[in-house]
């Protein structure tokens, strides 16, 4: 690999996995050259190595070499009666190896964003559902409904890639319309409205079900804004509805809100075409749920018990397990996250994390791991759960992958 | 490693061997002539009282890809099957590991996923790479993708279409091409709710007949062994046998394979406007040289239907049991629909569907042209194959089952009057020799010298055919004993069967432009390299030979 080069890469850091990102790599430092991702919150540069000491494993504040870290970890894990693995984001081969480890050690496996995942999947597990994917939405959608508040902050490239692309197969880009429903901030709306057809219904997220009912019944009354928007929706030929579950209160309104949107889309399909396209979290949520599903039949929260898989959303919730003393050690795996990892001091904690991982308290063991698509080749699933991309290696820091580490944990002889 | 199968009763239709007592020699995973063996025989397996056949091949089974995963995830409440040898996931939507275990224990050593969306190929191969034991492959879906329909709309040359088809086979690492409801999935995205064979799609002005004609010719000219694999227009609709026949005619005498033809053989006679057109379809099959089919037999009970045919699956959602379902438009490429369904033997329609499938099997004269499938899991899970074989081989058992159907369904079927019973030879042809031949797998489905030692050994003591086919005594994959007396002896991982016809790479220039203008990923990311297959996805590939370019 050259020490300096420019190239296009696929970004591993949010669920859109844009593959048109031009970067310059200079002595393993990555600089993004592409203009379109300037608004992304998870910037690739954050993952440059600021402190070389982060490249070394440690045990109880003391740095040690990789093999020693593997042996220490295995010793701790072997002492455990009940191991819990929390996935904070890894690639397909990372999830495969986690499940392999869980099979051998009868672990419970959870993803940190499971609570959001189950809100979206709940619809498919209970009733009918019409879905679409990014490219379909880009080319066929004439009216786009965005629900919530922060979806454009989390996935700003939805605008140029999907909602208002420069070119679209079946709809002239200028004829595309965006309706924002929820608590979007005024600044975002104003910026978009300068260039595009954007309308807004400002309501509390909890009120979305009532609004959908109103639009469906067409008895809107005197609210001219809602009436006008309802007319736009009625005339749409291919309506797309998007939301991010993390905007919803998973303990309060998420089921009702998602159901109301999905039911509305189903109703539209009786005469026209319409589809849902939820935007999933940015911790490789889709990669985890897809891989877990083909290997266990369940998308997350599985307890391995011999050849049996026990799935219970509550009992296999890692937070619940730790809080209720059902585990004595938690292995956290984080390769694409920026958020601080919450560690509970009641249990031993092993963190297999990218070098810039931060945590609420120091873990017992930290093993630095490579970032998929930066430090090693990998496969990641996009938010629509149907497209997966192959990501390349672009820097050489000799960081092992999750797969390498887990395999070493399985193989190590003390 | 040298192995001798001693005194086996051999069935090997490709080599015209039937019920012949002989020894079989295996060296380093291949079947060899005794004289080719260097060194001593390491293991002798006594095959007295045993019947030996090549490993079975399922040429149409939904075992990997997005729709299978949707079904797994949707049907969690069914993942409670008691199983001694595998996990508890439901057999209609099993994990990849369970899929491999159940197939190998039935003596199947190669399986083919028939609806692999090009854009979803990476997922489908990743899933299939996690199926142990068996070799696998996929048929890439074309005929509803916007790039192809644009080519047709613009009257692109046949050679440009051939290049696109060949490119797709390379990019997706597949072994064949399938079209599902030609043009219909795409038309559904533009809100058309039906598309007959000669009906134009509103947006592209193209008919299903145009699509079939171009794709069958492309596959023929490229020399791809497996003919175009076709899920016809109007699936499941009473009276659809006429459009099925029109679809066959659209191939203009070039090879064509109609899949799950049972769902395409419906008349609309009688009070209920639903009847069997199996005699008409079977007659057509018997007299049409270029036509092959697999049946897609249904069995009674709970299953889940999964298909690329979002148009028809949307229509079917009102029959969902339990009442939940999902349809999806996918990436200007295709679509999918997953609808759980329970076939009820008290239902007139379901009972007649069951009879229609069996009628086709029994009226089709040539077992080389008709293949044993349930379109897993659409008609029934693949684990019902031994039961299906017994229905074909044992008339009295078949009639016993038939008499349990509602009277009115019995009155609409000629099944009881059909005397035919399939022979072991014929079963061997339709589950081994014929699938290998039609897929161009030179080293499979045969016990000839040089072939892979994928072998199933049955016990003659098992007199009941269902018991016989469900419980092979030994199953070997590449010369290794994988199953012995119903127990898994060793975990191995199969390879992916592919084909890579030559083509003019300049087609990629226009594809690249199309991707840049309309897609949300680059063309380079759409393609799966051999290296990616082996090192990331986790499956080595086998590149099968093309028949050579033809005009």
């Amino acid at each position: 690999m050259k020490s300096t080069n420019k190239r296009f890469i696929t970004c591993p850091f949010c669920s859109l996995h844009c593959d048109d990102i031009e970067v310059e790599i200079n002595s393993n430092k990555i600089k993004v050259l592409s203009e379109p991702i300037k608004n992304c919150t998870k910037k690739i540069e954050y993952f440059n190595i600021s402190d070389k000491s982060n490249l070394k494993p440690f045990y109880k504040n003391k740095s040690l070499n990789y093999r020693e870290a593997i042996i220490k970890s295995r010793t701790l894990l072997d002492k455990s009666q009940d191991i819990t693995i929390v996935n904070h984001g890894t690639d397909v081969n990372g999830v495969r190896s986690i499940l392999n480890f869980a099979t051998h050690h009868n672990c419970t496996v959870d993803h940190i964003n499971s609570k959001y995942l189950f809100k979206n999947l709940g619809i498919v597990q209970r009733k009918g559902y019409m879905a679409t994917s990014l490219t379909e939405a880009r080319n066929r959608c004439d009216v786009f409904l965005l629900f919530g508040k922060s979806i454009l902050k989390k996935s700003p490239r939805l605008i140029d890639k999907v909602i208002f692309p420069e070119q679209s197969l079946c709809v002239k880009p200028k004829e595309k319309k965006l309706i924002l429903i929820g608590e979007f901030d005024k600044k975002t709306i104003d910026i978009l409205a300068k260039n595009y057809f954007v309308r807004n219904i400002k309501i509390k997220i909890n009120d979305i079900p009532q609004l959908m009912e109103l639009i469906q019944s067409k008895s809107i009354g005197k609210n001219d804004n809602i009436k006008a928007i309802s007319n736009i929706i009625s005339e749409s030929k291919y309506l797309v509805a998007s939301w991010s579950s993390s905007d919803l209160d998973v303990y309060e309104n998420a089921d009702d809100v998602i159901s109301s949107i999905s039911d509305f889309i189903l109703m539209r399909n009786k005469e026209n075409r319409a589809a849902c396209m939820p935007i999933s979290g940015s911790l490789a949520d889709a990669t985890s749920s897809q891989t877990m599903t083909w290997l266990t039949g369940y998308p997350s929260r599985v307890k391995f018990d011999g050849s049996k898989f026990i799935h219970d959303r509550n009992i296999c919730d890692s937070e619940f397990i730790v809080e209720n003393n059902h585990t004595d050690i938690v292995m956290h795996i984080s390769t694409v996250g920026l958020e601080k990892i919450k560690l509970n001091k009641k249990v031993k904690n092993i963190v297999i994390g990218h070098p810039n991982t931060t945590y609420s308290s120091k873990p017992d063991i930290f093993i630095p791991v490579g970032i998929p698509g930066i430090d090693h080749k990998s496969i990641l699933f996009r938010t629509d759960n149907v497209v997966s991309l192959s990501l390349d290696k672009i820097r050489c820091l000799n960081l092992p992958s999750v797969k390498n580490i887990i395999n070493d944990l399985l193989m190590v002889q003390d | 490693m040298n192995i001798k199968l001693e005194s086996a009763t051999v069935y090997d239709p490709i080599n015209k061997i039937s019920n012949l007592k002989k020894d079989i020699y295996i060296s380093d995973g291949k079947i060899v002539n005794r004289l080719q063996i260097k060194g001593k025989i390491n293991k002798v397996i006594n095959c007295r009282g045993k019947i030996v056949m090549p490993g079975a091949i399922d040429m149409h089974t939904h075992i990997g890809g997005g729709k299978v995963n949707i079904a797994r995830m949707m049907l969690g409440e069914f993942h409670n099957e008691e199983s001694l040898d595998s996990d508890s996931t439901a057999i209609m939507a099993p994990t990849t590991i369970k899929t491999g275990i159940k197939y190998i224990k039935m003596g199947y050593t190669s399986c083919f996923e028939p609806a692999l969306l090009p854009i979803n190929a990476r997922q489908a191969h990743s899933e299939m790479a996690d199926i142990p034991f068996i070799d696998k492959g996929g048929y890439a879906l074309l005929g509803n993708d916007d790039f192809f329909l644009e080519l047709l709309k613009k009257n692109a040359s046949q050679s440009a279409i051939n290049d696109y088809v060949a490119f797709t086979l390379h990019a997706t690492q597949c072994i064949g091409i399938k079209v599902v409801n030609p043009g219909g999935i795409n038309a559904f995205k533009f809100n058309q709710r039906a598309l007959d064979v000669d009906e134009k799609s509103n947006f592209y002005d193209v008919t299903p007949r145009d699509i079939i004609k171009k794709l069958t010719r492309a596959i023929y000219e490229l020399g791809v062994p497996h003919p175009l694999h076709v899920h016809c227009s109007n699936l499941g609709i009473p009276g659809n046998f006429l459009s099925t026949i029109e679809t066959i005619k659209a191939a203009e005498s070039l090879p064509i394979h109609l899949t799950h033809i049972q769902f395409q053989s419906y008349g609309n006679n009688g009070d209920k406007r639903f009847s069997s057109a199996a005699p008409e379809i079977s007659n057509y099959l018997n007299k049409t040289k270029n036509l092959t089919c697999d049946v897609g037999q249904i069995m009674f009970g709970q299953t889940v239907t999964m298909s690329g045919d979002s148009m028809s699956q949307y229509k079917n959602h009102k029959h969902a049991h339990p009442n939940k379902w999902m349809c999806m438009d996918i990436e200007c490429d295709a679509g999918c629909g997953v609808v759980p369904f329970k076939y009820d033997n008290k239902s007139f329609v379901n009972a007649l569907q069951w009879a229609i499938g069996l009628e086709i099997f029994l009226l089709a004269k040539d077992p080389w042209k008709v293949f044993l499938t349930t379109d897993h899991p659409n008609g029934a899970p693949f684990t019902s194959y031994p039961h299906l074989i017994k229905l074909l081989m044992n008339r009295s058992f078949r009639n016993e089952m038939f008499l349990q159907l509602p009277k009115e369904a019995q009155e609409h079927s000629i099944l009881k009057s059909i005397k035919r019973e399939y022979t072991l030879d014929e079963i061997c042809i339709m589950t081994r020799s014929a699938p290998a031949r039609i897929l161009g797998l030179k080293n499979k489905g045969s016990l000839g010298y040089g072939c892979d030692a994928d072998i199933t050994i049955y016990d003659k003591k098992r007199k009941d055919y269902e018991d016989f086919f469900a419980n092979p005594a030994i199953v070997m994959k590449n010369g290794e004993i994988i199953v012995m007396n119903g127990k898994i002896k060793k975990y191995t991982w199969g390879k992916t069967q592919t084909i890579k016809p030559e083509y003019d790479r300049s087609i990629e220039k226009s594809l690249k432009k199309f991707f840049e203008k309309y897609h949300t990923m680059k063309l380079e990311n759409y393609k799966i390299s051999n290296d990616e297959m082996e090192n990331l996805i986790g499956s080595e590939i086998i590149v099968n030979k093309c028949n050579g370019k033809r005009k």
Side-chain angles (χ1 to χ4, degrees), chain B residues 147-168:
Chain B
F147 182 80
F148 174 76
L149 294 170
E150 282 226 324
L151 285 178
L152 256 58
K153 189 179 182 180
K154 289 176 184 162
N155 281 321
S157 66
Q158 183 67 48
S159 67
I161 287 168
N162 297 358
D163 291 336
Y164 177 52
V165 168
F167 161 82
T168 303

Side-chain angles (χ1 to χ4, degrees), chain A residues 4 15 73 82 110 155-156 158 188 226 236 246-247 264 330 362:
Chain A
T4 302
S15 61
S73 303
D82 225 323
D110 189 11
S155 307
L158 268 182
T188 307
I226 296 181
S236 71
S246 60
D247 274 357
F264 181 77
V330 181
K362 206 109 180 168

Side-chain angles (χ1 to χ4, degrees), chain A residues 61-88:
Chain A
N61 284 330
K62 200 176 139 197
S63 92
L64 66 180
N65 69 33
Y66 175 74
R67 186 170 160 73
E68 288 166 338
I70 292 291
I71 292 170
K72 284 278 180 210
S73 303
R74 180 64 194 258
T75 308
L76 280 187
L77 291 163
D78 280 347
K79 282 181 191 161
S80 169
Q81 298 302 307
D82 225 323
I83 303 167
T84 300
I85 303 177
V86 183
N87 178 1
H88 300 254

Side-chain angles (χ1 to χ4, degrees), chain A residues 148 181-183 200-209 211 226:
Chain A
I181 299 174
E183 298 166 276
N200 173 230
I201 301 178
K202 193 170 173 60
I203 54 165
K204 291 214 167 88
I205 289 170
N206 277 347
D207 294 335
I208 288 173
L211 176 75
I226 296 181

Side-chain angles (χ1 to χ4, degrees), chain B residues 72-186:
Chain B
R72 292 180 182 118
M73 181 271 296
M74 180 191 280
L75 299 167
E77 73 270 37
F78 290 94
H79 292 329
N80 53 13
E81 282 184 6
E82 289 288 327
S83 184
L84 289 174
D85 56 20
S86 57
D87 61 68
S88 60
T89 47
I91 194 61
M92 61 182 149
T95 58
T96 50
I97 307 290
K98 185 167 185 168
T99 302
I101 291 172
K102 292 293 180 186
Y103 261 118
I104 200 77
K105 290 182 82 168
M106 285 197 325
Y108 276 74
T109 50
S110 300
C111 296
F112 292 84
E113 163 56 55
L116 194 145
L117 274 65
I119 205 83
N120 187 242
R122 191 165 277 119
Q123 171 173 5
H125 284 304
S126 296
E127 286 187 33
M128 290 195 285
D130 285 344
I131 298 176
F133 315 118
I134 59 172
D135 288 331
K136 41 255 161 179
Y139 315 146
L141 289 192
L142 286 179
N144 282 288
D145 49 309
D146 289 89
F147 182 80
F148 174 76
L149 294 170
E150 282 226 324
L151 285 178
L152 256 58
K153 189 179 182 180
K154 289 176 184 162
N155 281 321
S157 66
Q158 183 67 48
S159 67
I161 287 168
N162 297 358
D163 291 336
Y164 177 52
V165 168
F167 161 82
T168 303
L169 286 166
H170 281 251
T172 61
Q173 300 282 0
C174 279
I175 193 170
I177 297 288
K178 183 189 188 193
V179 59
V180 173
N181 186 358
I185 301 168
N186 188 280

Side-chain angles (χ1 to χ4, degrees), chain A residues 146-307:
Chain A
L146 274 189
F147 294 88
K149 54 186 175 189
S150 62
I151 188 167
L152 289 173
K153 281 189 185 151
K154 288 176 186 159
S155 307
R157 293 214 59 204
L158 268 182
I159 293 295
D160 73 288
K161 281 189 79 167
V162 180
I163 302 173
F164 293 115
E166 279 182 17
Q167 304 198 70
S168 168
L169 200 56
C170 318
V171 186
K172 289 180 185 154
K174 285 194 172 170
E175 291 173 3
K176 287 174 171 261
K177 297 177 173 74
L178 172 63
I179 315 287
L180 300 167
I181 299 174
E183 298 166 276
F184 290 86
D185 69 79
K186 191 172 178 308
K187 195 177 157 198
T188 307
I189 300 166
D190 289 347
I191 291 169
L192 286 171
K194 278 184 193 166
N195 299 309
Y196 310 114
F197 184 103
V198 180
R199 296 290 182 270
N200 173 230
I201 301 178
K202 193 170 173 60
I203 54 165
K204 291 214 167 88
I205 289 170
N206 277 347
D207 294 335
I208 288 173
Q210 286 72 36
L211 176 75
M212 302 319 292
E213 211 175 289
L214 208 61
I215 295 175
Q216 193 167 331
S217 69
K218 294 190 176 161
S219 49
I220 293 161
K222 289 182 180 170
N223 189 322
D224 289 341
N225 184 37
I226 296 181
K227 204 181 272 181
I229 286 171
S230 173
N231 286 339
I232 291 170
I233 292 172
S234 300
E235 285 164 17
S236 71
K237 291 187 173 142
Y238 196 104
L239 183 74
V240 172
S242 277
W243 64 88
S244 165
S245 290
S246 60
D247 274 357
L248 316 176
D249 184 336
V250 289
Y251 301 107
E252 290 290 333
N253 58 22
D255 286 329
D256 288 346
V257 172
I258 295 172
S259 270
S260 71
I261 299 167
S262 175
D263 289 349
F264 181 77
I265 291 294
L266 290 185
M267 184 276 299
R268 287 289 303 166
N269 275 288
K270 288 184 179 165
E271 302 286 332
N272 300 279
R273 286 308 323 277
C276 297
M277 193 179 73
I279 303 300
S280 68
S282 59
L283 296 176
D285 309 33
T287 303
S288 172
S289 65
Q290 288 294 328
T291 313
M292 281 202 66
T293 301
W294 81 66
L295 286 167
T296 71
Y298 302 104
S300 190
R301 292 190 180 161
V302 176
K303 160 92 180 144
F304 287 70
D305 180 10
S307 66

Side-chain angles (χ1 to χ4, degrees), chain A residues 7-27:
Chain A
R7 59 179 297 179
F8 283 95
I9 64 157
T10 301
C11 174
F13 298 118
C14 95
S15 61
L16 297 184
H17 295 311
C18 302
D19 65 354
D20 55 353
I21 311 299
E22 191 178 18
V23 296
E24 184 177 40
I25 304 147
N26 191 352
S27 302

Side-chain angles (χ1 to χ4, degrees), chain B residues 58-354:
Chain B
D58 194 343
M59 58 101 71
H60 188 109
T61 172
H62 296 282
I63 52 173
K67 64 196 176 310
V68 186
N69 237 14
I70 290 169
R72 292 180 182 118
M73 181 271 296
M74 180 191 280
L75 299 167
E77 73 270 37
F78 290 94
H79 292 329
N80 53 13
E81 282 184 6
E82 289 288 327
S83 184
L84 289 174
D85 56 20
S86 57
D87 61 68
S88 60
T89 47
I91 194 61
M92 61 182 149
T95 58
T96 50
I97 307 290
K98 185 167 185 168
T99 302
I101 291 172
K102 292 293 180 186
Y103 261 118
I104 200 77
K105 290 182 82 168
M106 285 197 325
Y108 276 74
T109 50
S110 300
C111 296
F112 292 84
E113 163 56 55
L116 194 145
L117 274 65
I119 205 83
N120 187 242
R122 191 165 277 119
Q123 171 173 5
H125 284 304
S126 296
E127 286 187 33
M128 290 195 285
D130 285 344
I131 298 176
F133 315 118
I134 59 172
D135 288 331
K136 41 255 161 179
Y139 315 146
L141 289 192
L142 286 179
N144 282 288
D145 49 309
D146 289 89
F147 182 80
F148 174 76
L149 294 170
E150 282 226 324
L151 285 178
L152 256 58
K153 189 179 182 180
K154 289 176 184 162
N155 281 321
S157 66
Q158 183 67 48
S159 67
I161 287 168
N162 297 358
D163 291 336
Y164 177 52
V165 168
F167 161 82
T168 303
L169 286 166
H170 281 251
T172 61
Q173 300 282 0
C174 279
I175 193 170
I177 297 288
K178 183 189 188 193
V179 59
V180 173
N181 186 358
I185 301 168
N186 188 280
F188 180 56
K189 295 172 185 175
F190 293 97
N191 203 27
Q192 279 180 266
R193 301 296 167 123
L195 194 71
D196 210 344
V197 180
D198 288 306
E199 195 177 346
K200 286 185 173 179
S201 61
N202 293 341
F203 190 77
Y204 286 107
D205 212 25
V206 163
T207 66
R209 186 183 297 277
D210 299 331
I211 294 167
I212 296 289
K213 187 176 157 182
K214 290 289 183 186
L215 285 177
T216 46
R217 177 153 292 282
I219 283 162
Y220 176 76
E221 291 188 1
L222 288 166
V224 175
H226 188 45
L228 180 65
H229 197 93
V230 182
H231 159 140
C232 299
S233 315
N234 298 325
L235 181 118
I237 294 174
N240 66 6
F241 80 102
L242 292 171
S243 57
T244 302
I245 289 173
E246 287 309 309
T247 304
I248 299 162
K249 287 180 184 167
E252 298 184 336
S253 301
L254 293 177
I256 182 168
H257 178 90
L258 298 197
T259 188
H260 40 68
I261 201 164
Q262 176 276 131
F263 291 107
Q264 298 291 152
S265 303
Y266 302 153
N268 52 8
N269 296 327
D271 296 348
K272 297 191 187 285
R273 312 299 295 160
F274 184 73
S275 57
S276 169
E280 289 88 340
I281 289 293
S282 306
N283 274 340
Y284 213 85
L285 176 68
N286 290 336
K287 71 180 185 191
T288 309
K289 275 189 179 168
N290 59 310
L291 175 63
T292 52
C293 69
D294 61 88
V295 172
Q297 177 66 33
I298 71 132
M299 295 290 176
F300 301 114
Q302 176 71 51
T303 192
V304 56
T305 64
M306 52 178 76
S307 172
D309 192 348
S310 45
M311 179 188 259
S312 94
Q313 288 294 73
Y314 179 72
K315 218 175 288 171
N316 290 338
H317 81 254
K318 52 183 178 287
H319 303 298
H321 183 283
N323 186 16
K324 52 185 173 179
W325 54 276
M326 176 172 171
C327 286
M328 186 171 189
D329 300 325
I330 300 173
E331 290 297 281
C332 296
D333 197 33
C336 86
V338 177
V339 182
F341 190 81
K342 191 170 184 180
Y343 292 103
D344 179 0
N345 68 352
K346 299 287 174 252
S347 145
F348 168 77
V349 171
N350 296 165
L352 203 49
Q353 284 179 300
W354 179 87

